Amino acid sequence: MTLLTDKPLTKNMRQDGSVVDIRSYEQAGGYQAVRKVLLGGMTPKAVTDAVKDANLRGRGGAGFPTAKKWSFVPLGKDAPNPTYLICNADEMEPGTFKDRLLMERDPHQLIEGMIVSGFAIEADVAYIFLRGEYVQAAERLSRAIAEAYDAHYLGKNILSSDYSLELYLHLSGGRYMCGEETGLLNALEGKRANPRSKPPFPPVVGLFGKPTVVNNVETLCCVPHIITHGGEWFRTLGRTQDAGTKLFGVSGKVKRPGLWELPMGTTIREILEEHAGGMRDGLTFRALLPGGASTDFVTEEHLDTSMDFTAMTKIGSRMGTGTMIVLDDQTCPVGMTWNLMHFFAQESCGWCTPCWSGLGWVERILQSMEEGRGQPGDLDKLASQAKMWGPGATFCALAPGAAEPLQSALKYFREDFERHIREKRCPWR
């Protein structure tokens, strides 16, 4: 019997950082969701309904309802096959390291989530698309997949049921675009990781032209717990209407940077001050990016906002990945914004002109400000470019994501930008 817990994603993790092997995972109640689904008579629709009842939203950043995404996949004997399930583990969002923890410390939780999710969409083949730099995660996932095959949780007729699933680990080539859903599909097919035109959407026409669902690591890890304990239990874990727990992280000049599993809806202030310990001595909080590099800055006035998909949108930002990057009062906000634009400019795939051309232009303007060569009128150019990256203007979300820190930096740190131009230098140097 599995005991109820308020931290389902991290309950098995050991303090010494060692991996949970299959025997320990089973002793802790692992693979009970697979047995319940395959041997307990659940149908694919029943699994999807359970996830819908739990109100599970994708943990990769967009927050799209997981069950709704699954519902677009054609099912039944007349559906195209094979159907693919892909775990997006190409965690390249700056400041984000939550999926790495899940894969390195408890890889069987992810594998179990993929088996149950694969059953829900009648997937025949599954891939874990892993960031190439995650060497330890690759080693531990490879071993865990082999253990799962040996225990007959993967392969033909799993646990003597009618369901079969083959699972493969694929190492990414290491570009930010490989984490974009359709760029990932192209990369997995051996092509350049450019985004695809939509529609058609991947659940109908995806990998190799077949139905495909792409889910984030943390999203898939939630699924077995929902099946085991039920949707109502999962909803009660959150403090707000967005259900479950969430891995929240903090990086920057705080006393205890790290990662914690907390109720969805925990406030920014609680994460920053109670769990991360507040700012280092001698430094003052100025702002933070709440969910990776592609979210809008929030400031002191927003610290009592609940970290969930709904509340963060209302204050003009997004929860994103839930991993905060903190800006202190002794770090130049213009330099930080330049650094972010440099990253996005490097990682643009070059497919859309507003993206590849605009990012390079913005990066050069910010560099000139930092080097004392800023000109009156530069702020208008930056604001105009941020508007040109609005949703719908490009094939994917890279440029709209870059617009978020830029437009919010111009909003909250305008005096800092103007000082760079007026004094013809960076005041922090």
Side-chain angles (χ1 to χ4, degrees), residues 177 180-183 186 193-202 348-356 388-401:
M177 275 304 301
E180 196 277 336
E181 186 177 60
T182 57
N186 279 340
N194 290 341
R196 296 178 178 178
S197 299
K198 297 181 281 288
F201 293 93
S348 173
C349 73
W351 192 246
C352 311
T353 301
C355 183
W356 70 261
M388 289 184 65
W389 291 332
T394 56
F395 275 96
C396 78
L398 189 145

Side-chain angles (χ1 to χ4, degrees), residues 40-294:
M42 290 188 76
T43 63
K45 183 178 184 304
V47 175
T48 300
D49 287 345
V51 172
K52 181 180 180 181
D53 181 54
N55 190 28
L56 175 63
R57 299 178 65 172
R59 268 41 174 175
F64 193 82
T66 303
K68 187 173 184 179
K69 179 182 281 190
W70 291 359
S71 71
F72 298 140
V73 177
L75 302 179
K77 61 181 178 61
D78 296 327
N81 65 77
T83 291
Y84 295 99
L85 172 67
I86 298 174
C87 171
N88 187 347
D90 194 53
E91 189 172 49
M92 280 197 65
E93 184 72 22
T96 300
F97 44 93
K98 64 183 184 66
D99 295 339
R100 176 181 180 180
L101 179 81
L102 294 168
M103 293 184 289
E104 289 184 351
R105 304 282 287 279
D106 197 1
H108 283 285
Q109 179 177 229
L110 173 60
I111 294 170
E112 183 175 19
M114 294 190 70
I115 298 168
V116 175
S117 303
F119 176 81
I121 63 169
E122 298 183 349
D124 306 284
V125 181
Y127 289 94
I128 299 174
F129 191 94
L130 179 67
R131 177 176 177 175
E133 291 85 352
Y134 280 3
V135 176
Q136 187 173 64
E139 293 173 351
R140 293 182 173 186
L141 280 167
S142 296
R143 192 179 312 126
I145 291 170
E147 290 175 337
Y149 268 104
D150 288 343
H152 204 193
Y153 291 122
L154 289 169
K156 301 292 183 186
N157 301 111
I158 296 171
L159 301 177
S160 301
S161 71
D162 293 332
Y163 183 61
S164 303
L165 181 70
E166 303 295 339
L167 174 61
Y168 302 98
L169 177 64
H170 178 92
L171 296 185
S172 168
R175 295 304 301 270
Y176 187 66
M177 275 304 301
C178 293
E180 196 277 336
E181 186 177 60
T182 57
L184 183 155
L185 297 179
N186 279 340
L188 199 51
E189 291 180 2
K191 303 172 184 173
R192 183 172 172 171
N194 290 341
R196 296 178 178 178
S197 299
K198 297 181 281 288
F201 293 93
V204 179
V205 180
L207 187 66
F208 302 113
K210 302 298 184 182
T212 303
V213 164
V214 181
N215 284 138
N216 167 260
V217 172
E218 189 180 354
T219 309
L220 291 164
C221 286
C222 290
V223 172
H225 304 293
I226 292 170
I227 297 302
T228 301
H229 300 304
E232 181 180 358
W233 164 80
F234 189 77
R235 292 196 307 275
T236 61
L237 294 178
R239 294 183 182 176
T240 59
Q241 62 182 336
D242 292 339
T245 59
K246 178 80 185 71
L247 292 183
F248 292 112
V250 178
S251 60
K253 296 177 183 177
V254 295
K255 291 179 180 174
R256 296 191 299 272
L259 197 63
W260 308 271
E261 182 180 9
L262 299 169
M264 185 73 84
T266 301
T267 66
I268 301 172
R269 186 184 300 280
E270 185 176 339
I271 297 168
L272 178 65
E273 297 182 355
E274 295 185 21
H275 297 280
M279 303 304 295
R280 293 182 194 169
D281 294 340
L283 298 176
T284 300
F285 171 82
R286 192 158 188 209
L288 59 81
L289 297 167
S294 55

Side-chain angles (χ1 to χ4, degrees), residues 57-64 93-94 96 98 216 218-219 246-249 264 289-296 306-310 312-313 317-324 404:
R57 299 178 65 172
R59 268 41 174 175
F64 193 82
E93 184 72 22
T96 300
K98 64 183 184 66
N216 167 260
E218 189 180 354
T219 309
K246 178 80 185 71
L247 292 183
F248 292 112
M264 185 73 84
L289 297 167
S294 55
T295 52
D296 287 84
S306 299
M307 278 287 279
D308 65 24
F309 297 107
T310 307
M312 292 303 296
T313 302
S317 187
R318 295 186 301 116
M319 184 177 74
T321 60
T323 48
M324 306 172 185
E404 296 189 25

